[in-house]
Amino acid sequence: RSDPLLGISAMHEGIDFVAPPGTEVVSAAGGIVVLAEMHPQYGNLIEIDHSNGFSTRYAHLSRLLVKP
């Protein structure tokens, strides 16, 4: 796919879900919030560590309601 920031072909290993602004986001699995902050490219960003090398990032959020 075309990288939205660089404009060149790049591998995208994640899955993007689109939802209307303000939609409640629920974690795909249990884990620990390791990051909840404003990111320069992803806007409001939350990262959850599910252990065993798995993590989930939720980006472009309307607001942050959790803390690490």
Side-chain angles (χ1 to χ4, degrees), residues 15-63:
I15 299 172
D16 291 335
F17 295 95
V18 178
T23 299
E24 182 178 357
V25 176
V26 179
S27 176
I32 298 172
V33 175
V34 295
L35 185 75
E37 66 182 20
M38 172 57 84
H39 187 278
Q41 282 118 1
Y42 297 117
N44 286 326
L45 174 70
I46 296 170
E47 183 171 340
I48 300 175
D49 180 358
H50 304 291
S51 72
N52 295 318
F54 292 99
S55 64
T56 305
R57 285 185 180 171
Y58 298 92
H60 309 293
L61 301 168
S62 299
R63 56 194 170 143

